[in-house]
Amino acid sequence: EVQLVESGGGLVQPGRSLRLSCAASGFTFDDYAMHWVRQAPGKGLEWVSGISWNTGGIGYADSVKGRFTISRDNAKNSLYLQMNSLRPEDTALYYCAKPNVLAAAGSRGAFDIWGQGTMVTVSS
Amino acid sequence: AIRMTQSPSSFSASTGDRVTITCRASQGISSYLAWYQQKPGKAPKLLIYAASTLQSGVPSRFSGSGSGTDFTLTISCLQSEDFATYYCQQYYNYPWGFGPGTKVDIK
């Protein structure tokens, strides 16, 4: 079964850091780019960041650029999001998501597999 | 960054209705457009990708059309399980982005 399981969320004070992880299983992890998407409570979806299969291509939303860093460890089938200088507006459920296109076919793909999300709350 | 808009933001409908949701990109995105359905407390579910390709397992009452900047999602005969929020998403250029969502509830 194809599965993504996020972890690492929690309550953190403004200005502090947190590292999210996403464990992938059931597919060949390094055949795909991977992404993070977040959803603030009661709000819509926001794309956060994406990384190519070999880390050669990375993108960030303007709202997190310079504060968040995406990375991956293909040997561990894992995706990460290092979040620094956290702000209250970063409070959200963070999903990792897999695109439906093999990396060999290009970097653009819709998200066919989502994790259950990990909640990050930034508050003093 | 490419800005995505959707209309309407919400509406009420009855089972059996034909409904159409519109998504517009602030610049051309070819056909790199997806539609998702999300129900409360659940992760989004992919319905349509490449603007008009139905994701495996999704009922054929869902269809998508458009290219460039203007796109539509149509549900031909609304079922009770279709009451949800729908999002479009462009995956043409970084930063990728979602529309604000369209909530479909029961009339």
Side-chain angles (χ1 to χ4, degrees):
Chain A
E1 179 193 6
V2 177
Q3 195 172 13
L4 299 171
V5 179
E6 302 92 337
S7 60
L11 174 63
V12 61
Q13 293 179 328
R16 303 298 291 266
S17 299
L18 207 58
R19 188 194 196 207
L20 306 183
S21 299
C22 171
S25 59
F27 65 99
T28 304
F29 184 68
D30 57 8
D31 274 349
Y32 295 88
M34 292 294 295
H35 296 259
W36 290 98
V37 176
R38 69 184 181 183
Q39 187 167 34
K43 302 298 184 182
L45 301 170
E46 181 185 15
W47 177 85
V48 173
S49 182
I51 185 169
S52 64
W53 71 277
N54 63 354
T55 73
I58 289 176
Y60 296 99
D62 291 344
S63 58
V64 307
K65 195 176 295 184
R67 300 187 299 122
F68 290 11
T69 302
I70 192 171
S71 62
R72 63 190 294 162
D73 185 336
N74 289 340
K76 295 182 178 180
N77 291 340
S78 293
L79 176 71
Y80 306 102
L81 187 67
Q82 176 67 42
M83 305 185 296
N84 298 333
S85 303
L86 282 162
R87 305 167 178 168
E89 55 265 36
D90 295 319
T91 294
L93 184 64
Y94 284 73
Y95 295 102
C96 68
K98 167 194 163 294
N100 66 348
V101 172
L102 288 166
S107 61
R108 298 164 170 150
F111 302 142
D112 62 345
I113 303 295
W114 297 67
Q116 84 290 347
T118 186
M119 187 67 201
V120 173
T121 303
V122 184
S123 175
S124 54
Chain B
I2 299 172
R3 182 168 178 260
M4 306 300 293
T5 57
Q6 286 181 237
S7 61
S9 57
S10 66
F11 66 95
S12 298
S14 302
T15 55
D17 284 353
R18 179 184 179 89
V19 303
T20 298
I21 299 169
T22 297
C23 175
R24 176 166 289 175
S26 61
Q27 64 189 74
I29 59 170
S30 185
S31 295
Y32 294 101
L33 190 284
W35 290 96
Y36 300 87
Q37 176 193 68
Q38 188 179 34
K39 296 181 179 179
K42 300 294 186 181
K45 173 187 176 182
L46 177 63
L47 300 175
I48 301 283
Y49 63 94
S52 61
T53 303
L54 193 67
Q55 171 70 358
S56 176
V58 173
S60 59
R61 63 181 180 272
F62 291 92
S63 64
S65 65
S67 68
T69 59
D70 295 309
F71 303 86
T72 59
L73 172 70
T74 299
I75 310 172
S76 61
C77 183
L78 201 66
Q79 301 298 301
S80 58
E81 60 267 31
D82 301 336
F83 292 99
T85 300
Y86 294 86
Y87 296 92
C88 63
Q89 179 217 1
Q90 70 84 8
Y91 51 99
Y92 179 67
N93 265 351
Y94 279 163
W96 293 3
F98 290 88
T102 296
K103 185 177 181 180
V104 181
D105 59 24
I106 302 172
K107 183 182 288 184

